Amino acid sequence: MKFFSNKNIISLIKKKPVYFPFIFFKIIKAFFYRKINLFSYLKKNREIIRKIKNLNLSSNSINFSNCNRWKSEFEDKEFSISNWSSSRNSKLRDFYLDLIDSNRIPVAPKDKEEYWSALQLNWLFHEVRSNKTKSEDAELIIKQACQFMSANDDNWIYRQFTISEMITNIVKIQLYFGNELNLGCDVKNFLKKGTFYILNNLEIYSFSNKTSLNHTNNHILSNVRALFWGTKIFNNQDLYEVAIYIYRKHCIGLFDDGVLDEGSTIYHFIAAQCLYDISFFLDLKELPRVDRLISCMNKNNFLMPSTFPVIGDVSPDPSLGSVIKDALKIANALFKANNETEVNNDSKESSKSSFVKYKISDYEIINKGKWSIFLHSRKKDKHIQHSH
């Protein structure tokens, strides 16, 4: 059992054996809940179901008149932040090509994330916006990915988050290249089927206690982002209204004082990139203030590979360096939109001791002389999600 290989749990039991019955009970309870599939039960929202029934995505129409605008928004000739490695994107590209070439999905691989990440095509969008991939190559890769997923729609690889990321990246790549990129019937059918799949399987869970394995989290933000980008392909106002409804009802609550409330610095930046995309469809005033933590980290030089505080889980996809630029863009836009002159209104400063403290949700940044200290402490009643 993984339980007996967890050094943190074993260490705790050795120091305080009295905790063993409590921990053992929690494990048995979690095992039982998972066996009866309680953790993965999706919540069906009647209002969303009603709206979905009225959707008609039969027409594919995209406006290419603003392609220069999209290319300008997305283009990234130089890597987002200097010194960040793009090796993760290259690795996923190689893994994707091997997967397509073999045309085989293992029943139970050791690491499913590699397969999902390769097919989510974040690596491809990064190559496109960096001018490393031509339109004809991107077109072939997208076609292959859509055909592969359509042929495996009853497999574990076909899941809501992966489909959401694929739709987002395919639409953004289409907008980037404009009419240079021709989405064939296979791709259009995948986009339509995938959009309905997301709508009917939104990652909103009915059972989300502190330790549940499936919990309404950043995945719903990815679901909604895909629906917003889907409106660029399906000229449908109803789809736009559904996306707004889900965002307002289920996404805003993911944030605490503007911070993605999952206990992970990296996932906060990924959520910020999601909001950067969503900002093309909503007023900035409707977005959580993700800029507070990002701006504070940037000001204190915490955005370099050697200084970035990796707290909580690390996402397998995409490479952090490829999301930082978008995170900084939305942070700057939100900062200006809210007409603030200070990084954080709750900061406390003492000129005598040269001591500055910033408190943002679970995080604290303390400046003392030449030192900057980044702290994270999470309240015990919060969900464990991606936290340490």
Side-chain angles (χ1 to χ4, degrees), residues 30 38 57 86 94 99 157 188 193 206 242 259 290 295 300 313 318 336 379 386:
L38 184 57
L57 304 181
S86 60
D94 293 340
L99 178 61
I157 206 164
K188 291 177 180 177
K193 179 181 176 181
S206 60
V242 169
V259 175
V290 291
S295 299
N300 289 279
D313 285 349
K336 292 176 182 177
K379 293 180 180 179
H386 292 296

mmCIF file with all atom_site columns, all heavy atoms in Angstrom, residues 30 38 57 86 94 99 157 188 193 206 242 259 290 295 300 313 318 336 379 386:
data_model
loop_
_atom_site.group_PDB
_atom_site.id
_atom_site.type_symbol
_atom_site.label_atom_id
_atom_site.label_alt_id
_atom_site.label_comp_id
_atom_site.label_asym_id
_atom_site.label_entity_id
_atom_site.label_seq_id
_atom_site.pdbx_PDB_ins_code
_atom_site.Cartn_x
_atom_site.Cartn_y
_atom_site.Cartn_z
_atom_site.occupancy
_atom_site.B_iso_or_equiv
_atom_site.pdbx_formal_charge
_atom_site.auth_seq_id
_atom_site.auth_comp_id
_atom_site.auth_asym_id
_atom_site.auth_atom_id
_atom_site.pdbx_PDB_model_num
ATOM 1   N N   . ALA A 1 30  ? -11.875 6.607  3.159   1.00 0.00 ? 30  ALA A N   1
ATOM 2   C CA  . ALA A 1 30  ? -11.591 7.077  1.802   1.00 0.00 ? 30  ALA A CA  1
ATOM 3   C C   . ALA A 1 30  ? -11.671 5.923  0.804   1.00 0.00 ? 30  ALA A C   1
ATOM 4   O O   . ALA A 1 30  ? -12.199 6.073  -0.302  1.00 0.00 ? 30  ALA A O   1
ATOM 5   C CB  . ALA A 1 30  ? -10.208 7.721  1.749   1.00 0.00 ? 30  ALA A CB  1
ATOM 6   N N   . LEU A 1 38  ? -18.361 7.535  -4.792  1.00 0.00 ? 38  LEU A N   1
ATOM 7   C CA  . LEU A 1 38  ? -18.956 8.747  -4.247  1.00 0.00 ? 38  LEU A CA  1
ATOM 8   C C   . LEU A 1 38  ? -18.142 9.985  -4.594  1.00 0.00 ? 38  LEU A C   1
ATOM 9   O O   . LEU A 1 38  ? -18.671 11.055 -4.853  1.00 0.00 ? 38  LEU A O   1
ATOM 10  C CB  . LEU A 1 38  ? -19.076 8.622  -2.717  1.00 0.00 ? 38  LEU A CB  1
ATOM 11  C CG  . LEU A 1 38  ? -19.762 9.773  -1.978  1.00 0.00 ? 38  LEU A CG  1
ATOM 12  C CD1 . LEU A 1 38  ? -21.172 9.993  -2.517  1.00 0.00 ? 38  LEU A CD1 1
ATOM 13  C CD2 . LEU A 1 38  ? -19.814 9.491  -0.485  1.00 0.00 ? 38  LEU A CD2 1
ATOM 14  N N   . LEU A 1 57  ? -25.270 23.663 -32.184 1.00 0.00 ? 57  LEU A N   1
ATOM 15  C CA  . LEU A 1 57  ? -23.905 23.923 -32.626 1.00 0.00 ? 57  LEU A CA  1
ATOM 16  C C   . LEU A 1 57  ? -23.653 23.364 -34.023 1.00 0.00 ? 57  LEU A C   1
ATOM 17  O O   . LEU A 1 57  ? -22.562 22.930 -34.348 1.00 0.00 ? 57  LEU A O   1
ATOM 18  C CB  . LEU A 1 57  ? -22.908 23.296 -31.629 1.00 0.00 ? 57  LEU A CB  1
ATOM 19  C CG  . LEU A 1 57  ? -23.046 23.724 -30.163 1.00 0.00 ? 57  LEU A CG  1
ATOM 20  C CD1 . LEU A 1 57  ? -21.978 23.053 -29.317 1.00 0.00 ? 57  LEU A CD1 1
ATOM 21  C CD2 . LEU A 1 57  ? -22.955 25.234 -30.017 1.00 0.00 ? 57  LEU A CD2 1
ATOM 22  N N   . SER A 1 86  ? 12.352  25.264 -21.747 1.00 0.00 ? 86  SER A N   1
ATOM 23  C CA  . SER A 1 86  ? 11.190  24.795 -22.519 1.00 0.00 ? 86  SER A CA  1
ATOM 24  C C   . SER A 1 86  ? 11.292  23.298 -22.794 1.00 0.00 ? 86  SER A C   1
ATOM 25  O O   . SER A 1 86  ? 10.614  22.775 -23.670 1.00 0.00 ? 86  SER A O   1
ATOM 26  C CB  . SER A 1 86  ? 11.094  25.560 -23.844 1.00 0.00 ? 86  SER A CB  1
ATOM 27  O OG  . SER A 1 86  ? 12.271  25.354 -24.615 1.00 0.00 ? 86  SER A OG  1
ATOM 28  N N   . ASP A 1 94  ? 7.710   15.003 -28.256 1.00 0.00 ? 94  ASP A N   1
ATOM 29  C CA  . ASP A 1 94  ? 8.265   13.696 -28.601 1.00 0.00 ? 94  ASP A CA  1
ATOM 30  C C   . ASP A 1 94  ? 7.341   12.568 -28.140 1.00 0.00 ? 94  ASP A C   1
ATOM 31  O O   . ASP A 1 94  ? 7.137   11.586 -28.861 1.00 0.00 ? 94  ASP A O   1
ATOM 32  C CB  . ASP A 1 94  ? 9.652   13.528 -27.962 1.00 0.00 ? 94  ASP A CB  1
ATOM 33  C CG  . ASP A 1 94  ? 10.680  14.480 -28.560 1.00 0.00 ? 94  ASP A CG  1
ATOM 34  O OD1 . ASP A 1 94  ? 10.439  14.980 -29.679 1.00 0.00 ? 94  ASP A OD1 1
ATOM 35  O OD2 . ASP A 1 94  ? 11.715  14.718 -27.900 1.00 0.00 ? 94  ASP A OD2 1
ATOM 36  N N   . LEU A 1 99  ? 3.272   8.424  -29.402 1.00 0.00 ? 99  LEU A N   1
ATOM 37  C CA  . LEU A 1 99  ? 1.928   7.917  -29.115 1.00 0.00 ? 99  LEU A CA  1
ATOM 38  C C   . LEU A 1 99  ? 1.113   7.769  -30.396 1.00 0.00 ? 99  LEU A C   1
ATOM 39  O O   . LEU A 1 99  ? 0.461   6.742  -30.625 1.00 0.00 ? 99  LEU A O   1
ATOM 40  C CB  . LEU A 1 99  ? 1.211   8.861  -28.150 1.00 0.00 ? 99  LEU A CB  1
ATOM 41  C CG  . LEU A 1 99  ? -0.236  8.516  -27.784 1.00 0.00 ? 99  LEU A CG  1
ATOM 42  C CD1 . LEU A 1 99  ? -0.309  7.161  -27.099 1.00 0.00 ? 99  LEU A CD1 1
ATOM 43  C CD2 . LEU A 1 99  ? -0.829  9.603  -26.893 1.00 0.00 ? 99  LEU A CD2 1
ATOM 44  N N   . ILE A 1 157 ? -8.405  7.816  -21.436 1.00 0.00 ? 157 ILE A N   1
ATOM 45  C CA  . ILE A 1 157 ? -7.706  9.007  -21.911 1.00 0.00 ? 157 ILE A CA  1
ATOM 46  C C   . ILE A 1 157 ? -8.667  10.142 -22.277 1.00 0.00 ? 157 ILE A C   1
ATOM 47  O O   . ILE A 1 157 ? -8.290  11.307 -22.309 1.00 0.00 ? 157 ILE A O   1
ATOM 48  C CB  . ILE A 1 157 ? -6.811  8.644  -23.120 1.00 0.00 ? 157 ILE A CB  1
ATOM 49  C CG1 . ILE A 1 157 ? -5.644  9.632  -23.225 1.00 0.00 ? 157 ILE A CG1 1
ATOM 50  C CG2 . ILE A 1 157 ? -7.604  8.595  -24.426 1.00 0.00 ? 157 ILE A CG2 1
ATOM 51  C CD1 . ILE A 1 157 ? -4.521  9.154  -24.109 1.00 0.00 ? 157 ILE A CD1 1
ATOM 52  N N   . LYS A 1 188 ? -13.626 19.542 -36.872 1.00 0.00 ? 188 LYS A N   1
ATOM 53  C CA  . LYS A 1 188 ? -14.883 20.232 -36.557 1.00 0.00 ? 188 LYS A CA  1
ATOM 54  C C   . LYS A 1 188 ? -15.854 19.312 -35.812 1.00 0.00 ? 188 LYS A C   1
ATOM 55  O O   . LYS A 1 188 ? -16.520 19.746 -34.869 1.00 0.00 ? 188 LYS A O   1
ATOM 56  C CB  . LYS A 1 188 ? -15.524 20.755 -37.844 1.00 0.00 ? 188 LYS A CB  1
ATOM 57  C CG  . LYS A 1 188 ? -14.738 21.900 -38.480 1.00 0.00 ? 188 LYS A CG  1
ATOM 58  C CD  . LYS A 1 188 ? -15.367 22.347 -39.794 1.00 0.00 ? 188 LYS A CD  1
ATOM 59  C CE  . LYS A 1 188 ? -14.564 23.486 -40.414 1.00 0.00 ? 188 LYS A CE  1
ATOM 60  N NZ  . LYS A 1 188 ? -15.121 23.899 -41.730 1.00 0.00 ? 188 LYS A NZ  1
ATOM 61  N N   . LYS A 1 193 ? -18.502 17.594 -30.788 1.00 0.00 ? 193 LYS A N   1
ATOM 62  C CA  . LYS A 1 193 ? -18.735 16.496 -29.850 1.00 0.00 ? 193 LYS A CA  1
ATOM 63  C C   . LYS A 1 193 ? -18.088 16.795 -28.496 1.00 0.00 ? 193 LYS A C   1
ATOM 64  O O   . LYS A 1 193 ? -18.671 16.557 -27.430 1.00 0.00 ? 193 LYS A O   1
ATOM 65  C CB  . LYS A 1 193 ? -18.163 15.201 -30.427 1.00 0.00 ? 193 LYS A CB  1
ATOM 66  C CG  . LYS A 1 193 ? -18.329 13.989 -29.524 1.00 0.00 ? 193 LYS A CG  1
ATOM 67  C CD  . LYS A 1 193 ? -17.711 12.749 -30.167 1.00 0.00 ? 193 LYS A CD  1
ATOM 68  C CE  . LYS A 1 193 ? -17.781 11.552 -29.231 1.00 0.00 ? 193 LYS A CE  1
ATOM 69  N NZ  . LYS A 1 193 ? -17.163 10.340 -29.835 1.00 0.00 ? 193 LYS A NZ  1
ATOM 70  N N   . SER A 1 206 ? -20.551 16.774 -6.465  1.00 0.00 ? 206 SER A N   1
ATOM 71  C CA  . SER A 1 206 ? -21.588 16.889 -5.439  1.00 0.00 ? 206 SER A CA  1
ATOM 72  C C   . SER A 1 206 ? -21.043 16.615 -4.047  1.00 0.00 ? 206 SER A C   1
ATOM 73  O O   . SER A 1 206 ? -21.607 17.039 -3.056  1.00 0.00 ? 206 SER A O   1
ATOM 74  C CB  . SER A 1 206 ? -22.731 15.915 -5.735  1.00 0.00 ? 206 SER A CB  1
ATOM 75  O OG  . SER A 1 206 ? -22.257 14.581 -5.747  1.00 0.00 ? 206 SER A OG  1
ATOM 76  N N   . VAL A 1 242 ? -24.239 30.287 -21.503 1.00 0.00 ? 242 VAL A N   1
ATOM 77  C CA  . VAL A 1 242 ? -23.989 29.133 -20.636 1.00 0.00 ? 242 VAL A CA  1
ATOM 78  C C   . VAL A 1 242 ? -22.616 29.267 -19.968 1.00 0.00 ? 242 VAL A C   1
ATOM 79  O O   . VAL A 1 242 ? -22.471 29.022 -18.763 1.00 0.00 ? 242 VAL A O   1
ATOM 80  C CB  . VAL A 1 242 ? -24.057 27.813 -21.446 1.00 0.00 ? 242 VAL A CB  1
ATOM 81  C CG1 . VAL A 1 242 ? -23.537 26.644 -20.611 1.00 0.00 ? 242 VAL A CG1 1
ATOM 82  C CG2 . VAL A 1 242 ? -25.482 27.533 -21.879 1.00 0.00 ? 242 VAL A CG2 1
ATOM 83  N N   . VAL A 1 259 ? -6.512  34.603 -4.754  1.00 0.00 ? 259 VAL A N   1
ATOM 84  C CA  . VAL A 1 259 ? -5.571  33.486 -4.891  1.00 0.00 ? 259 VAL A CA  1
ATOM 85  C C   . VAL A 1 259 ? -6.348  32.196 -5.125  1.00 0.00 ? 259 VAL A C   1
ATOM 86  O O   . VAL A 1 259 ? -7.322  31.929 -4.419  1.00 0.00 ? 259 VAL A O   1
ATOM 87  C CB  . VAL A 1 259 ? -4.691  33.345 -3.630  1.00 0.00 ? 259 VAL A CB  1
ATOM 88  C CG1 . VAL A 1 259 ? -3.799  32.107 -3.733  1.00 0.00 ? 259 VAL A CG1 1
ATOM 89  C CG2 . VAL A 1 259 ? -3.837  34.593 -3.435  1.00 0.00 ? 259 VAL A CG2 1
ATOM 90  N N   . VAL A 1 290 ? -6.197  37.974 -9.168  1.00 0.00 ? 290 VAL A N   1
ATOM 91  C CA  . VAL A 1 290 ? -5.004  37.117 -9.163  1.00 0.00 ? 290 VAL A CA  1
ATOM 92  C C   . VAL A 1 290 ? -3.719  37.932 -9.198  1.00 0.00 ? 290 VAL A C   1
ATOM 93  O O   . VAL A 1 290 ? -2.638  37.420 -8.913  1.00 0.00 ? 290 VAL A O   1
ATOM 94  C CB  . VAL A 1 290 ? -5.024  36.136 -10.359 1.00 0.00 ? 290 VAL A CB  1
ATOM 95  C CG1 . VAL A 1 290 ? -6.121  35.102 -10.193 1.00 0.00 ? 290 VAL A CG1 1
ATOM 96  C CG2 . VAL A 1 290 ? -5.185  36.881 -11.686 1.00 0.00 ? 290 VAL A CG2 1
ATOM 97  N N   . SER A 1 295 ? 1.865   40.049 -8.733  1.00 0.00 ? 295 SER A N   1
ATOM 98  C CA  . SER A 1 295 ? 2.602   41.313 -8.717  1.00 0.00 ? 295 SER A CA  1
ATOM 99  C C   . SER A 1 295 ? 3.575   41.368 -7.546  1.00 0.00 ? 295 SER A C   1
ATOM 100 O O   . SER A 1 295 ? 4.696   41.868 -7.674  1.00 0.00 ? 295 SER A O   1
ATOM 101 C CB  . SER A 1 295 ? 1.630   42.493 -8.632  1.00 0.00 ? 295 SER A CB  1
ATOM 102 O OG  . SER A 1 295 ? 0.776   42.519 -9.748  1.00 0.00 ? 295 SER A OG  1
ATOM 103 N N   . ASN A 1 300 ? 9.219   41.147 -5.805  1.00 0.00 ? 300 ASN A N   1
ATOM 104 C CA  . ASN A 1 300 ? 10.245  40.619 -4.906  1.00 0.00 ? 300 ASN A CA  1
ATOM 105 C C   . ASN A 1 300 ? 11.142  39.575 -5.564  1.00 0.00 ? 300 ASN A C   1
ATOM 106 O O   . ASN A 1 300 ? 11.814  38.799 -4.875  1.00 0.00 ? 300 ASN A O   1
ATOM 107 C CB  . ASN A 1 300 ? 9.574   40.024 -3.666  1.00 0.00 ? 300 ASN A CB  1
ATOM 108 C CG  . ASN A 1 300 ? 8.986   41.085 -2.762  1.00 0.00 ? 300 ASN A CG  1
ATOM 109 O OD1 . ASN A 1 300 ? 9.683   41.696 -1.973  1.00 0.00 ? 300 ASN A OD1 1
ATOM 110 N ND2 . ASN A 1 300 ? 7.677   41.322 -2.894  1.00 0.00 ? 300 ASN A ND2 1
ATOM 111 N N   . ASP A 1 313 ? 1.510   21.201 -5.102  1.00 0.00 ? 313 ASP A N   1
ATOM 112 C CA  . ASP A 1 313 ? 1.712   20.333 -6.267  1.00 0.00 ? 313 ASP A CA  1
ATOM 113 C C   . ASP A 1 313 ? 2.298   21.077 -7.456  1.00 0.00 ? 313 ASP A C   1
ATOM 114 O O   . ASP A 1 313 ? 2.102   22.286 -7.621  1.00 0.00 ? 313 ASP A O   1
ATOM 115 C CB  . ASP A 1 313 ? 0.377   19.710 -6.690  1.00 0.00 ? 313 ASP A CB  1
ATOM 116 C CG  . ASP A 1 313 ? -0.055  18.601 -5.747  1.00 0.00 ? 313 ASP A CG  1
ATOM 117 O OD1 . ASP A 1 313 ? 0.767   18.187 -4.905  1.00 0.00 ? 313 ASP A OD1 1
ATOM 118 O OD2 . ASP A 1 313 ? -1.203  18.148 -5.852  1.00 0.00 ? 313 ASP A OD2 1
ATOM 119 N N   . PRO A 1 318 ? 1.059   22.773 -18.305 1.00 0.00 ? 318 PRO A N   1
ATOM 120 C CA  . PRO A 1 318 ? 2.207   22.949 -19.186 1.00 0.00 ? 318 PRO A CA  1
ATOM 121 C C   . PRO A 1 318 ? 3.451   23.384 -18.409 1.00 0.00 ? 318 PRO A C   1
ATOM 122 O O   . PRO A 1 318 ? 3.412   23.493 -17.184 1.00 0.00 ? 318 PRO A O   1
ATOM 123 C CB  . PRO A 1 318 ? 1.727   24.077 -20.100 1.00 0.00 ? 318 PRO A CB  1
ATOM 124 C CG  . PRO A 1 318 ? 0.893   24.919 -19.182 1.00 0.00 ? 318 PRO A CG  1
ATOM 125 C CD  . PRO A 1 318 ? 0.215   23.968 -18.242 1.00 0.00 ? 318 PRO A CD  1
ATOM 126 N N   . LYS A 1 336 ? -4.261  47.725 -13.306 1.00 0.00 ? 336 LYS A N   1
ATOM 127 C CA  . LYS A 1 336 ? -4.653  49.014 -13.893 1.00 0.00 ? 336 LYS A CA  1
ATOM 128 C C   . LYS A 1 336 ? -6.161  49.222 -13.822 1.00 0.00 ? 336 LYS A C   1
ATOM 129 O O   . LYS A 1 336 ? -6.634  50.329 -13.567 1.00 0.00 ? 336 LYS A O   1
ATOM 130 C CB  . LYS A 1 336 ? -4.181  49.082 -15.347 1.00 0.00 ? 336 LYS A CB  1
ATOM 131 C CG  . LYS A 1 336 ? -2.669  49.140 -15.500 1.00 0.00 ? 336 LYS A CG  1
ATOM 132 C CD  . LYS A 1 336 ? -2.263  49.106 -16.973 1.00 0.00 ? 336 LYS A CD  1
ATOM 133 C CE  . LYS A 1 336 ? -0.743  49.122 -17.117 1.00 0.00 ? 336 LYS A CE  1
ATOM 134 N NZ  . LYS A 1 336 ? -0.337  49.022 -18.555 1.00 0.00 ? 336 LYS A NZ  1
ATOM 135 N N   . LYS A 1 379 ? -4.988  26.989 6.523   1.00 0.00 ? 379 LYS A N   1
ATOM 136 C CA  . LYS A 1 379 ? -5.873  26.646 7.622   1.00 0.00 ? 379 LYS A CA  1
ATOM 137 C C   . LYS A 1 379 ? -6.322  25.194 7.498   1.00 0.00 ? 379 LYS A C   1
ATOM 138 O O   . LYS A 1 379 ? -6.557  24.689 6.410   1.00 0.00 ? 379 LYS A O   1
ATOM 139 C CB  . LYS A 1 379 ? -7.093  27.575 7.631   1.00 0.00 ? 379 LYS A CB  1
ATOM 140 C CG  . LYS A 1 379 ? -6.758  29.024 7.951   1.00 0.00 ? 379 LYS A CG  1
ATOM 141 C CD  . LYS A 1 379 ? -8.009  29.881 7.938   1.00 0.00 ? 379 LYS A CD  1
ATOM 142 C CE  . LYS A 1 379 ? -7.686  31.333 8.256   1.00 0.00 ? 379 LYS A CE  1
ATOM 143 N NZ  . LYS A 1 379 ? -8.897  32.181 8.231   1.00 0.00 ? 379 LYS A NZ  1
ATOM 144 N N   . HIS A 1 386 ? -4.303  20.731 -3.817  1.00 0.00 ? 386 HIS A N   1
ATOM 145 C CA  . HIS A 1 386 ? -2.933  20.658 -4.328  1.00 0.00 ? 386 HIS A CA  1
ATOM 146 C C   . HIS A 1 386 ? -1.920  21.176 -3.310  1.00 0.00 ? 386 HIS A C   1
ATOM 147 O O   . HIS A 1 386 ? -0.788  21.486 -3.678  1.00 0.00 ? 386 HIS A O   1
ATOM 148 C CB  . HIS A 1 386 ? -2.816  21.447 -5.628  1.00 0.00 ? 386 HIS A CB  1
ATOM 149 C CG  . HIS A 1 386 ? -3.562  20.842 -6.775  1.00 0.00 ? 386 HIS A CG  1
ATOM 150 N ND1 . HIS A 1 386 ? -3.248  19.613 -7.293  1.00 0.00 ? 386 HIS A ND1 1
ATOM 151 C CD2 . HIS A 1 386 ? -4.631  21.285 -7.485  1.00 0.00 ? 386 HIS A CD2 1
ATOM 152 C CE1 . HIS A 1 386 ? -4.073  19.330 -8.285  1.00 0.00 ? 386 HIS A CE1 1
ATOM 153 N NE2 . HIS A 1 386 ? -4.918  20.322 -8.426  1.00 0.00 ? 386 HIS A NE2 1
#
